[in-house]
Amino acid sequence: MSVELEEEKLRDAVERALRRARERSIALTDAVDDDDLVRQHSKLMSPLVWDLAHIGNQEELWLVRDVGGREPVRIDIDELYDAFQHPRASRPSLPLLGPAEARGYVREVRDKVLDVLSSAKLEGRPLVERAFAFGMVAQHEQQHDETMLATHQLRSGTPVLDAPPPPRSTGRRLPAEVIVPAGPFTMGTSTEPWALDNERPAHQVHVGAFAIDTVPVTNGAYQRFIAAGGYDDPRWWHETGWAHRIEAGLVAPRFWQRDGDGWLRTRFSVVEPVPADEPVVHVSWYEADAYARWAGRRLPTEAEWEKAARFDPATGRSRRFPWGDEEPTDNLANLGQRHLRPAEVGAYPAGASPLGVHQLIGDVWEWTGSDLAGYPGFAAFPYREYSEVFFGPEYKVLRGGSFGTDAVACRGTFRNWDYPIRRQIFAGFRCARDVRPDELG
Ligand SMILES: [Fe+2]
């Protein structure tokens, strides 16, 4: 392929990613009235109208001003939309752009960006190499779209979102776990063009033998943990987790309520019985950790999770995704808010990894046992606040994306992180365990 054609394809891909993100941002903000847009639905979240203008502000900073070298659109609002200046709880009291103003602002920025895209050089400095800054901005918007989806889940009132149900399980019986022999694999990436700084560089990691659940832990399995008194027995809980469990009065995943002997859940304002075969979602790291200990297991480390997802024993190389190097399609993973819930376990056989592990990408983010840290050779890019300032024991790593994650912000190397008490995110988990040498045959 000629260089010109290659570049044209790249510009088209950027435009598609930006348009897809914007369609979603508009759908999420047009779904509610102006009152709802400016209201704070939870102390954990920003008003939706803050997210919207913040998306535009980041796009302006990186693509209009930096890449495009153009005049600022609204330099006066930079401070208002700097996530590091104002914690979420304080955002409703700021003099924010109103709904109409915010919509006009993001439209104006986007028009300029499409113009920048048509002529910008896509090589020469790392920020523009293979359109990195454009890819970073598309991922940023999609990540805020997922955050806005979580705000919708926290919002009370009548249902406003709708989507078809995900595919059902094929019904084929899967083994409970997959055993992975000890050995090295390539973790992280140095070649994925839009990978973020924390996914880089690619490096060899030796992983001891382990077993990992074939599918995420289901609501049915989690209900057995509750019924067995799992929430009342400090033996299963991390010390800090137990203190939090008592203080916060946790008795079940967030959004669940008792219904006689069973459970109901509220999902985007719809109250329904908890489906036994779906991955459990809206549990904190502490709950996931307690469940795993009760089950005689543990959470996988981040390296174990990534090896289960990417390692191909036939070639020894690591794939971009469990199914291969091709972008996700509808039959491979439950991504992109196509459905408003995780799919039953066993619903995506075509998306399994070479080792035979299912639904690693999509459905629910999966808590791992690991703290967020830089890989050997890590270099902050394009700014320290993207991820380096979060490194340390405060944050636990989540992997794989959820039904609310867009494909542009999800791959085998993608890393997400949050506090171990968080439950409003679309997070579940699967378990792992050490393997004895005699089990390896
Ligand atoms: Fe942001």
Side-chain angles (χ1 to χ4, degrees), residues 75-92:
I75 206 163
D76 57 310
I77 60 169
D78 286 359
E79 199 265 351
L80 283 177
Y81 294 101
D82 181 342
F84 287 88
Q85 296 282 336
H86 306 284
R88 285 178 178 176
S90 73
R91 288 172 194 168

Side-chain angles (χ1 to χ4, degrees), residues 317-385:
R317 67 176 275 278
S318 290
R319 299 171 162 194
R320 293 178 67 214
F321 295 98
W323 53 83
D325 292 342
E326 319 84 57
E327 293 294 318
T329 53
D330 295 6
N331 71 321
L332 293 171
N334 179 8
L335 289 167
Q337 205 188 304
R338 277 200 315 278
H339 313 294
L340 286 170
R341 61 201 294 174
E344 291 176 351
V345 298
Y348 289 95
S353 75
L355 291 164
V357 186
H358 289 234
Q359 281 161 294
L360 288 148
I361 297 289
D363 296 299
V364 292
W365 284 104
E366 298 182 19
W367 288 111
T368 72
S370 303
D371 299 338
L372 182 66
Y375 291 153
F378 170 83
F381 179 77
Y383 60 121
R384 278 196 69 240
E385 284 72 19

Side-chain angles (χ1 to χ4, degrees), residues 33 42 71 113 120 142 269 309 359 385 406 423 426 432:
D33 61 24
S42 155
E71 287 297 308
V113 163
Q142 287 285 3
S269 300
Q359 281 161 294
E385 284 72 19
D406 185 83
R423 314 209 294 168
F426 305 109

